[in-house]
Structure formats: structure tokens, C-alpha cells
Amino acid sequence: MRLLQCNCAGEYHLTEPLPNDNAIPCYAILSHTWGADSDEVTFNDLTNGTGTDKSGYEKIRFCAEQAKQDGLDHFWIDTCCIDKENKAELSHAINSMFRWYRNAARCYIYLLDVSTAKRKADSDASEWESAFRRSKWFTRGWTLQELLAPRSVEFFSWQRKRLGNKDSLRQQIHEITGIPKAALQGELLSQFNVNDRLSWMENRQTKREEDKECTRDLHVTDPRRDKARIKQTKGGLLEESYHWIFQNQSFLHWRNDPQRQLLWIKGDPGKGKTMLLCGIIDELNRSTAKTTLLSYFFCQATDSRINSATAVLRGLLFMLVSQQPALFSHMRKKHDQTGKALFEDANAWVVLCEILTDILQYSTLDNVCFFVDALDECVKDLDKLLAFIVQNSSLSLRAKWILTSRNYASIEQRLRLDDSRARLSLELKENAAQVSQLEQIQHDQLLQLSVREKMQQKANGTFLWVSLVMKELKDVQVWEVVQVLDEVPSELIDLYRRMMEHIKQLKRRNPEICRQILSTVVATQRPLHLQELCVLADLPNQGPNVEETTATMVKMCSSFLTLREDYIYVVHQSAKDYLLDEAALSVFPSRAREVHRDIFSRSIEVMSRSLQRDMYQLRAPGYPIEQVQQPKPDPLAALRYSCIYWIDHLCEWISNSLTYHESILMSRGVVDGFMRTKYLYWLEAVSLCTGMSKGVVSMAKLEALTKKRAATSSTIEVSTPGILLFSPTHSVIRALFKDEEPQGIVIKPGMQDQWSNCLQTLEGHSSYVNSVAFSQDSTRLASASDDRTVKVWDARSGKCLQTLEGHSSYVNSVAFSHDSTRLASASGDGTVKVWDARSGECLQTLNVERALYNISFDSSDNYLHTDIGFVNNVHHFFRLLGGFKRYLYSIGTCIDLIVAFSTCQHAFRIYP
């Protein structure tokens, strides 16, 4: 922490950094609303003696004079006492801010939008109170800690007139902010639960737009909404279904033993693991210490957004930062460098592990409880997730974990459980309390009791069994209830068979309609909207109310499916397993690959029929996608899935079929015909569906497929054309869509005849690019620039993954180690830096005392070859006997690529 001090000449200067709280003298602290960045006095202004002409300098004068009146020689202001260019210092300051405000002798709140010019007397607040209530200061994100942390808080108008303090203005502050008076009087914040404290933050704004952007980029799902959806979909959560857990010895050991960090709840499909976890979360949210954070995630194999290890960590982090925004500091440094790619590129898993580990080891968190449901439905990188959980549960005593899954030996083995108290098996307990009451039978208490006892006997502790039977009982008459219960089998698999037989016995075309619906829902990659299902399953003509009629058809599918906000979900993973396995011949009479063919064909048909230019009538080329609002009705409602996934289903069909007609991929075939007539309109639709990144990947898949499968030359042009005016003059797409070129442009750019061999142009450096190098696995590319940075790029997508900063002069050369884990850079500042290629952390700085222009790792990765010798990893420098063989950095030839760069350009290009 640095403090400001006024010298005898009336000038302000910063103290040296103070190492700990004991070394810090009494000080005042300023709370204010930031103006424009150009108006605020910065750390560099104070160190350079500039900034006195900025409007923000008035705040420094005010704070200094007020502190002097209160007998204080030191004061602190956030705009100028933190070196924000030093990321480590900035992160430390953000984490320490609450403590700094709490330790201040006085806190002055300077309200620039509250005037006392017309004030007649100290006791007359009528002239300024309305402005006080409207003050922007109360809407700030930092207001809470700056209001609650300090012992003494005083409010001042912009004329420096004292308005009152936190005690005298308590009623007004309570009415403005909703913060309880007890909290304003200094009651411990731990006495208020997390939800209450979160409510105080509602409608607050922060100037740090980067935090908001980081939240948007981190978001893959909101687990709180997932929990609400699950509870609603499964018929609600009753206390009887989970309350037994709080007397269970395994759970009590986990909850009360500080050394017991992990509990695994296992059980067969439908035993109620998910609903049990929802109940535990709800109960702990009410009863645990208010300083404990709860973070949870629900895996779902049928939803590609939430069925991977990376998605789990993103969801857990999202919940943590949503509850405690100060934790942003642990991820902002990395996010500021790479943006959204931080959470999505090939290194996302490694980075997310580092962030969460950093939070658990170094943050000011008290305790965190993590809950991950349905580990068996984490279909991607489950082994990595389990290894991470095991490692962190043993290293951090502040974090406890509850995990649920099916009773898989592979999961038990990887969790390394060495004590029976770390397990809770739902197979060991016929938990009748999990059976909910049949609320539909309310007129006859004796019948209600009889039905409940019979359901308890047959359910065998399986929550899903109860849920499915309850749905069936809703459609029968009172006198049929007991008979239906007698007929219903007690095993879940037998219940599924009964449901399938019920579908087969439907009248007229209804069994075939149900088969079309089930096969489509099971084969698609995400839950479908009702309008999407209507198209992809080729449901009968339904008249004007498509959604209502489709919903009725879905309900015919005998409880295999459930509806939530017009989206269709399989009721449970075990139900999907049954449909794909035992019932496959009933659901897919022509085999599953033919369903992919049908989805592809229907997608092409509906897109060809419906896509056109400017689907949303925006009438403005280049309209910002974040400002686009879906019209009502949405012309893309039935097309969204088709636009994003049609290529996936084409690839799935062809890769698993020997009978497809090769003309589909040939020139003038179905795909070629679609591209010739609708390609630009499809790209626009993909953009409106915010799926451009997926669209780029899909086009690459289509290109690979056409090269592998097409028997004759295809004229499909799969390179993204961009704006037509900037496409080559002989471009197929430009010729096909020439009528779509913007009118009224007189001077048009001169373009080459064909597409260039340049695969990508990577832009981002602010000065000359001196060197580039591919990683040995060909997945990344590093570039060194005169702007003193090294950038690491995704070689496939061209996204900038990292910007490595630390050199104080031009960076002349860069090289990857042979195992691609390290990156070395040589600079004109006389140093060589060795970086962790994945995290971007600087591992070593080797002082070679002269500028180097060529470096490379030797075959052992223990030495660096340079212009004049070699360097080993303990900072020793040696001359090479017989001189140095210069390494030419055309290492891309090893992977059939040549990298070209120019000292006159700030970008470089990649050629095949």
C-alpha cells in the first residue's frame, strides 16, 4: 500500500510501498465516482509531476485539506495510489481494498453531483437531499465495501460542505440502498446470509466494463437456473425426498470433520441423486455460516454445453465470481490478454485449473462447498476433472466437495477413496421418504394413504420411478388409480418397456409420429425448440398454432420427454440409454444413421426455402451483433438448429454409411446447389444465431469431407468470402451473388483473380514483427515484435491466445521447446526470457548482456542456441567451439508450411 502525503511546499507525493499493516500510519481514504480516464490523476502523473491541470486534481486537494483538519498527515485515493500497469500490484490492491477501507481512520465520500450552493443552514437538508438520493455514487459497484467497511464515513458535497455521516444519514442510506440499518451500524457482515448480501448489489454498476465482459465470456450456463429447471421438470422438490440425508453418518462426517473434504454419492439411474443434491444445496444455503459460498454444477450428457470438464469449471467459477466479484482479479490478468479465447481454446482446461486453484490457495475466501452432479454424464475429459478434484480436495482445507454419479467402478477408482465414510450409496437405503405424495387424490384421505403406501413398496427408493408413475396417474380416473399401480412394474427398465408398449398401442399414425419425435430428439446435439422439432421430425401439417400442436404430440411420447420453456428434453439419461440400446429397433427402424440423413435433408430443405437476405430487416450492413434483437415472431425460430448443425449431421450420416449417393457432394449436387443459392444468406443466419465460431469449424469439416468423399471435382467454394467487393474477381461466390453487391460504390478495390494461398493474416502487434515460430505439435504459433511483446496464436483459428509482456526493448527472436511446453524470447534489452507456453508465466529471465537475434532449443530442451553461443538452464553462458551454425527460422517446413513476415509490416501471413 502506498499513501499520499503533502510536503511543506504544498506538493503531493507518494510514500514508498508499505510492507504490512503495522508499518502503515493513520490515514484518511477517499470514496468518489470516477470521471473520464483522461480527467483522473494517475500514478504516473504523480511520479512524473504532471496532472495538476486535470479536473480530478481537485479531489486530491479536498482529501488532503480535510485530512489535515482531522489531524491526519496521510491519505489514499484509488485513482493515483495504485500502479495499474503492474498487474500483480493491481490484483493485490483489489483483494486488499476492503481491508484498506476498514483500517482507514476516516472515509470521505465526495459527491460531485450533490450541490449545497443554495443551502441556508446546516440543519436544512431540503435543498440537497433529493440530489443526495439520486447521486450516482450509490449505484457504483464499489459502494458497498466503501460504505460498510470503514468505521467513520462522512459525506461531502462538491463544494466540500459536510452533509453528515453514516449515523446521521442512516435512514436515507437505508432507503436508497436497501442495506439494513444494522449493517450500517457496524453489525458483522457474517450475520447476513449470502443471498441478502447479493441483493444489496442489485442494479449496481461498475466502471470496470472488463469485469462484465469477463463474466459474459466465462458464462456457459447459469447453474442456478439449471437447478430451478431441474426441480420444475421433475415435479418439484419436497422435503421428504431429501431430509433423511442430514441424519446420515457419511454426510455428517463430511459436514463436520474439517479433514473430510470429499463425499461421493452413488446410485443407479433414477435413484434421486440430482434431486437429493438440490435439497442439500437448498438446506446448506439456509443453514451454513453466512461466509460460506456454495458453487454447483449439473452435468447433462444430452446437452453439449454442459457435458465437459471445461464446462464444469466454467460453471463453478461463474458462481463464485457472481457471489464475490473481488475474485475477478484472479482471472482478469489472463482474460485481458486473450479475451473469450481464454475459456474456449485448446488451453482452456489448463487455464481454468490454474484460476480455480489460485482462488482456493491465495484468495481471502473463508470456505467454499462445491457440488458436481452426474459425473457419469461428463462425456469429455472426465478423467481430468476427477484428477483435478482429487488434487484440490487434498490441498485446500477451505474447499469441500460433494459429487454424484452412477455406481461406476472407474469413478470410484479415480477418486481414490480410502474410507467408507467418503461414500454414500443410495443402493443401501430403501428410502421411502423420497416418495412424494400423490397430491391429485385430495378428496379421499384413505385412498391417498393406500396409494402412497403402495408406491413406497414398489418404488424401491427410485425417485424417477415415482415421477414417471405420477405422470401416468394424472391421466387416469380416481377408480383406476389402484389398478394402474398394481399393473406398473417396480423396475425402472420394465417401466420404460411399458411406456414404449403404450406408444406402440396408440391409434392411427400416432405411433409413427412418436417414433419420429423420439429418434430426432435423441439424435440431435442440443435440446430442440418446438418449432425446430416440427421441422426436423417432419411432423404433420399443424395449422397456425405450431407450438401448441407440437407440444401435444410430444406429450404422447409417454413421459420419455419433458418440456421446459418450449424446449424438449429427455426425462433422464437412463431413458436416453434405453432408447439408444434396447429400444433402438423401435425408435430407429432404419438404423440411427438414417435419422442423421433425414435431419440433414430436412435442414437443407427448410433453409433453402426460408433463408433470404437481411432476415431481421436490419437494413444496415455491419450491424453490431450485440445490438441485434430477435423480432417477434422470429423468422429463424425453426431454422436455428439447422443453420448451426446441418453439416454435423451430414458428416455423421456419410461417415457411418456405405449407401449414400455420392452425387450429394458432387458439383451440382444437393450441397453444391445450396451453396450456390443460399451461401451468403446462410452465413448471415449463422451470425444472427451467434454461431460464427461454430460455422467456421463446420465449414472446415465440410471442406475435409468433400476432399475425402467426392468422386469428381466439386465446385463448392468453402473459403469464407467476406464482403463481395473484396472477393477475387473469379470467385465462384462473387459470380453467383453478383446482384447482392452494394450499389452506389463508384471506386471499387482492385482484386486478384483467385483466392490467395495465404491461409491467414494475423494482426495485433503495434510494431514490426521480427520472428515467428511454430510449436512442435503445430497447434500454436508465436510471434516476436518491436512492440516489446510476444504473442501466441492458435494456428488453426488465428485467435490470439496470449500476449507475453516483460521485455523492455524490441523482441528479436522466439522459439518453442521440442515438447512445446516452453517458449523462449530474445530481446534487445540483453535478456532471454523463458515462458510457460500454456499459462504465459515467465519462468526465467537470463541476462546475457547483449542483444540476440537468433535462438532455438537444442534437442534435449536443456540448452538454448544463440548467435554467439549457448545458454543452459542455470544461467551459464558458453562460447561454441568452431563457431555457431545459424538456425534459419523456416521451421514451418517440417509441417509443410512456410511463414513469411516483413519488417515493414505489423502482421504476418501463413501460406500452404
Side-chain angles (χ1 to χ4, degrees), residues 697-714:
V697 173
S698 295
M699 288 303 295
K701 291 175 66 174
L702 180 58
E703 181 179 27
L705 185 66
T706 55
K707 288 180 178 179
K708 179 179 180 181
R709 294 281 182 163
T712 61
S713 176
S714 172

Side-chain angles (χ1 to χ4, degrees), residues 264 266 375 386 390 405-420 422-423:
W264 176 40
K266 59 180 181 176
L375 283 171
L386 293 174
V390 169
S405 76
R406 298 187 187 186
N407 190 9
Y408 287 169
S410 58
I411 293 178
E412 183 168 10
Q413 180 181 4
R414 289 179 174 84
L415 288 177
R416 303 177 187 175
L417 303 176
D418 56 2
D419 192 307
S420 63
R423 303 171 181 84

Side-chain angles (χ1 to χ4, degrees), residues 118-129:
K118 298 181 181 180
R119 187 176 176 187
K120 298 177 181 179
D122 287 343
S123 59
D124 182 10
S126 60
E127 297 292 338
W128 55 266
E129 185 172 335

Side-chain angles (χ1 to χ4, degrees), residues 432-462:
Q434 294 183 60
V435 180
S436 60
Q437 296 183 11
L438 186 61
E439 297 179 355
Q440 289 76 12
I441 309 177
Q442 297 179 350
H443 63 284
D444 191 330
Q445 294 296 323
L446 291 177
L447 178 59
Q448 189 177 102
L449 178 61
S450 173
V451 168
R452 184 181 182 189
E453 290 177 350
K454 190 176 291 290
M455 292 181 70
Q456 289 174 336
Q457 293 170 5
K458 303 191 72 171
N460 194 28
T462 303

Side-chain angles (χ1 to χ4, degrees), residues 196-251:
D196 287 341
R197 283 181 276 162
L198 287 175
S199 70
W200 305 345
M201 297 174 60
E202 292 179 357
N203 302 319
R204 301 199 177 281
Q205 301 174 357
T206 173
K207 192 174 186 295
R208 301 199 65 176
E209 290 295 329
E210 298 89 342
D211 285 356
K212 298 178 182 178
E213 182 181 357
C214 188
T215 303
R216 290 192 295 267
D217 292 345
L218 176 65
H219 176 270
V220 64
T221 187
D222 187 338
R224 292 166 296 194
R225 293 182 178 178
D226 289 338
K227 182 163 75 75
R229 169 178 56 81
I230 290 168
K231 289 163 66 176
Q232 180 175 335
T233 300
K234 297 193 176 186
L237 181 65
L238 296 180
E239 185 175 330
E240 292 88 345
S241 68
Y242 67 86
H243 201 265
W244 62 269
I245 187 72
F246 300 108
Q247 283 75 48
N248 180 274
Q249 289 301 309
S250 296
F251 178 82

Side-chain angles (χ1 to χ4, degrees), residues 99-292:
R99 189 176 79 255
W100 292 351
Y101 273 89
R102 183 188 60 199
N103 294 342
R106 297 290 182 93
C107 176
Y108 307 135
I109 298 177
Y110 189 41
L111 305 178
L112 288 172
D113 53 358
V114 177
S115 173
T116 51
K118 298 181 181 180
R119 187 176 176 187
K120 298 177 181 179
D122 287 343
S123 59
D124 182 10
S126 60
E127 297 292 338
W128 55 266
E129 185 172 335
S130 60
F132 179 79
R133 290 178 176 274
R134 297 192 306 270
S135 177
K136 186 178 179 182
W137 184 85
F138 286 108
T139 69
R140 298 160 59 252
W142 295 102
T143 290
L144 287 178
Q145 70 175 15
E146 295 169 14
L147 183 60
L148 297 175
R151 295 186 298 273
S152 172
V153 177
E154 298 177 277
F155 293 86
F156 294 83
S157 70
W158 74 268
Q159 292 94 348
R160 306 188 185 181
K161 298 295 184 180
R162 187 178 183 277
L163 305 176
N165 59 30
K166 186 164 58 171
D167 290 332
S168 65
L169 297 171
R170 186 187 311 135
Q171 180 63 33
Q172 293 93 325
I173 297 171
H174 165 67
E175 293 172 0
I176 296 168
T177 64
I179 300 174
K181 295 179 183 179
L184 295 173
Q185 288 176 298
E187 186 168 332
L188 292 177
L189 295 181
S190 60
Q191 300 304 309
F192 303 91
N193 64 42
V194 173
N195 288 335
D196 287 341
R197 283 181 276 162
L198 287 175
S199 70
W200 305 345
M201 297 174 60
E202 292 179 357
N203 302 319
R204 301 199 177 281
Q205 301 174 357
T206 173
K207 192 174 186 295
R208 301 199 65 176
E209 290 295 329
E210 298 89 342
D211 285 356
K212 298 178 182 178
E213 182 181 357
C214 188
T215 303
R216 290 192 295 267
D217 292 345
L218 176 65
H219 176 270
V220 64
T221 187
D222 187 338
R224 292 166 296 194
R225 293 182 178 178
D226 289 338
K227 182 163 75 75
R229 169 178 56 81
I230 290 168
K231 289 163 66 176
Q232 180 175 335
T233 300
K234 297 193 176 186
L237 181 65
L238 296 180
E239 185 175 330
E240 292 88 345
S241 68
Y242 67 86
H243 201 265
W244 62 269
I245 187 72
F246 300 108
Q247 283 75 48
N248 180 274
Q249 289 301 309
S250 296
F251 178 82
L252 291 175
H253 279 300
W254 172 85
R255 186 173 186 178
N256 299 325
D257 185 350
Q259 301 299 320
R260 182 65 60 197
Q261 308 305 121
L262 189 148
L263 175 65
W264 176 40
I265 299 176
K266 59 180 181 176
D268 286 341
K271 286 294 183 181
K273 299 181 294 294
T274 299
M275 297 301 280
L276 176 63
L277 195 66
C278 289
I280 292 173
I281 293 169
D282 289 350
E283 180 65 24
L284 293 182
N285 202 26
R286 290 190 293 265
S287 61
T288 55
K290 308 309 179 184
T291 54
T292 298

